[in-house]
Amino acid sequence: MKNLKLNLLIIVSIFLSNVEMSLGQVTFDWAKRYSSNQLNAQIAYDVVTDANGNVYVTGNTARGSDVIDMVTIKYNSAGNYIWGKSYDFPGYDYSSEAGRSLAVYANGANTFIYSVGIMNYWTINNILVIKYDENGNQLWVKNFSYAPNGFVNQIPKVMSDASGNCYISGGSEEQPYVVKY
């Protein structure tokens, strides 16, 4: 019994020293801000990486007090800014678009980014899906709403599968949904 207690004490000590060493080895690599003189406020809501270590961020930027645009940004693995794209839903002055979720899909040498958010304009509340290529070129934009009249679409989540399909999940106060593109 004495040997068992001693062995347990040794195992716990080794475990705790390994945890302490691994916690002590965390280093700060870089931090970046996306900012512009024209913008009043920026908020990031989601971040993902691709197989090459590139970092993608989505959120929103505010231009003045009434106009909010969805933004998607790419940094390389060293934290250098590669590109940033903002999206303002066409035809709706003073609409509000905010990125909420990202997914990355790699097809051989090509990488695609799905950026999903919410678009609000008066009584319109739609989910917004934008597909970009690795160079920041917008390939397509989709928008939809599954919220019944008088209800609001909730924050969506996006993911992609091995075939490049895009799945968006979310819900309203009334019903959940899953959409595939």
Side-chain angles (χ1 to χ4, degrees):
M1 185 69 166
K2 190 174 186 181
N3 283 340
L4 179 62
K5 287 181 182 179
L6 182 59
N7 287 340
L8 275 172
L9 181 62
I10 291 171
I11 290 170
V12 168
S13 297
I14 291 170
F15 174 75
L16 289 177
S17 67
N18 284 339
V19 168
E20 185 178 309
M21 284 190 295
S22 67
L23 292 176
Q25 295 174 359
V26 175
T27 59
F28 182 80
D29 288 332
W30 54 266
K32 297 294 177 179
R33 283 188 240 198
Y34 178 75
S35 186
S36 167
N37 293 335
Q38 300 172 342
L39 306 175
N40 291 342
Q42 300 82 38
I43 299 173
Y45 284 100
D46 198 14
V47 60
V48 296
T49 59
D50 64 19
N52 297 320
N54 295 306
V55 178
Y56 302 88
V57 179
T58 193
N60 56 268
T61 63
R63 294 182 289 126
S65 60
D66 293 353
V67 182
I68 297 172
D69 294 335
M70 184 169 161
V71 67
T72 303
I73 306 160
K74 178 181 180 179
Y75 298 98
N76 67 14
S77 61
N80 298 313
Y81 173 84
I82 305 299
W83 53 258
K85 302 293 178 176
S86 63
Y87 184 82
D88 183 22
F89 200 80
Y92 292 92
D93 290 340
Y94 304 104
S95 62
S96 170
E97 300 80 24
R100 293 293 193 259
S101 183
L102 286 168
V104 174
Y105 164 68
N107 179 3
N110 299 315
T111 301
F112 301 98
I113 301 90
Y114 297 105
S115 186
V116 175
I118 297 175
M119 189 279 278
N120 292 303
Y121 179 76
W122 293 93
T123 60
I124 299 170
N125 173 257
N126 286 355
I127 302 301
L128 192 58
V129 185
I130 305 173
K131 183 177 182 180
Y132 295 102
D133 68 14
E134 60 202 23
N135 298 313
N137 298 309
Q138 182 181 299
L139 302 177
W140 51 255
V141 176
K142 308 286 184 191
N143 77 86
F144 63 89
S145 177
Y146 280 98
N149 241 354
F151 291 93
V152 176
N153 286 296
Q154 298 299 316
I155 297 173
K157 178 69 178 156
V158 65
M159 64 167 289
S160 63
D161 64 16
S163 299
N165 296 305
C166 172
Y167 298 89
I168 300 102
S169 66
S172 68
E173 290 92 347
E174 281 292 302
Q175 62 192 30
Y177 60 81
V178 176
V179 176
K180 176 183 174 184
Y181 286 107

